[in-house]
Amino acid sequence: MDFHKPLFLTVFLPLFLLLYVLAAGRNKNSLLLAASVIFYGWYEPVFIFVLLATTFFDFVLVRVMEKQEGWKRKAVLS
């Protein structure tokens, strides 16, 4: 799915924006993740695995950094 295609502009984007406005504060991030997976998966389903893998890696990395203090937080990124 490309940004300039009619399917994106007339179906995907309006539906996503409506759901995003109606979603409760906590659910907005989950909705954004789901919409990203659908958007990238529509173009090439293999990209779903890349997106989910990097998202999971970032999530774990931030959780590890959260437990560290000072210079150790930066060391986690090295």
Side-chain angles (χ1 to χ4, degrees), residues 10-57:
T10 60
V11 177
F12 186 82
L13 183 61
L15 182 62
F16 167 74
L17 291 174
L18 176 67
L19 291 174
Y20 191 80
V21 168
L22 296 176
R26 257 186 104 86
N27 296 332
K28 289 187 180 205
N29 286 340
S30 299
L31 178 65
L32 188 59
L33 177 63
S36 296
V37 169
I38 292 168
F39 179 78
Y40 284 104
W42 196 283
Y43 179 71
E44 186 65 46
V46 171
F47 291 154
I48 292 173
F49 300 111
V50 174
L51 181 65
L52 292 177
T54 57
T55 301
F56 178 74
F57 178 75

Side-chain angles (χ1 to χ4, degrees), residues 2-13:
D2 293 330
F3 291 115
H4 65 280
K5 298 282 178 145
L7 179 64
F8 175 80
L9 294 172
T10 60
V11 177
F12 186 82
L13 183 61

